[in-house]
Amino acid sequence: VHSRQDCCQFSLLLITYTYSTTTLLPTTMFSKAFLVLAAASVAQGFAPMASTPVRTATSLGFTVKLVSEEHDIDTSIECADDVFIVDAAEEAGIDLPYSCRAGACSTCAGKITEGEVDQSEQTFLDDDQMADGFVLTCVAYPKGDCTIAVHMEDELF
């Protein structure tokens, strides 16, 4: 494995060698194209690195209990603090309702009966609904162990 610095130094040596040999010989289309490609590889070595994601992954997991008498759901799943609850449920084989997956509708609404979640990405619920415990599971991260009554869209209205 070579570092960016090694690649840049090699490319510069290659350009220098190519330039010195092509100035003595007649210029060809191949040598010009080679010089352009070599210069581009040097420039790529100075390109900015990809930025780090806003949310960093952790291995911290919480137990999220999902309940719904009407839909015969009473199960607990493990959910990391950087995974949406609806995604963790789906991975565990539990079908929860969702539509937009962006926190802009009420299809995935649930109600927290114990614990706390981070649903700062949601845009649908008003302050009173959140104070009453409603949560949009498609954009909610657990902040600890919690219990959520799911399939609660009808209860919102």
Side-chain angles (χ1 to χ4, degrees):
V1 177
H2 297 286
S3 70
R4 275 187 167 188
Q5 185 177 5
D6 291 340
C7 290
C8 290
Q9 288 173 347
F10 176 74
S11 296
L12 286 172
L13 287 173
L14 201 53
I15 290 170
T16 305
Y17 174 76
T18 304
Y19 180 73
S20 66
T21 58
T22 56
T23 55
L24 301 175
L25 301 173
T27 309
T28 65
M29 181 66 89
F30 174 77
S31 64
K32 286 181 181 178
F34 184 76
L35 281 173
V36 169
L37 288 173
S41 70
V42 170
Q44 184 180 13
F46 294 103
M49 301 285 284
S51 64
T52 57
V54 175
R55 258 189 193 277
T56 55
T58 67
S59 61
L60 186 58
F62 300 111
T63 300
V64 178
K65 184 174 182 180
L66 305 170
V67 294
S68 172
E69 279 187 38
E70 183 180 335
H71 293 90
D72 199 30
I73 297 173
D74 186 2
T75 189
S76 294
I77 61 170
E78 287 298 312
C79 185
D81 67 346
D82 62 342
V83 175
F84 293 131
I85 293 169
V86 76
D87 292 336
E90 188 174 55
E91 287 177 22
I94 301 164
D95 290 325
L96 294 183
Y98 64 86
S99 181
C100 71
R101 286 194 178 254
C105 73
S106 61
T107 304
C108 66
K111 193 166 187 179
I112 301 170
T113 58
E114 290 180 32
E116 192 177 352
V117 298
D118 171 6
Q119 61 177 336
S120 57
E121 297 177 28
Q122 74 86 25
T123 58
F124 184 83
L125 300 174
D126 62 33
D127 292 338
D128 291 336
Q129 291 168 321
M130 288 189 293
D132 288 341
F134 285 100
V135 59
L136 300 181
T137 59
C138 74
V139 291
Y141 301 102
K143 292 175 85 175
D145 294 344
C146 58
T147 302
I148 301 174
V150 293
H151 292 275
M152 299 294 287
E153 182 178 26
D154 293 339
E155 302 296 319
L156 273 173
F157 308 104

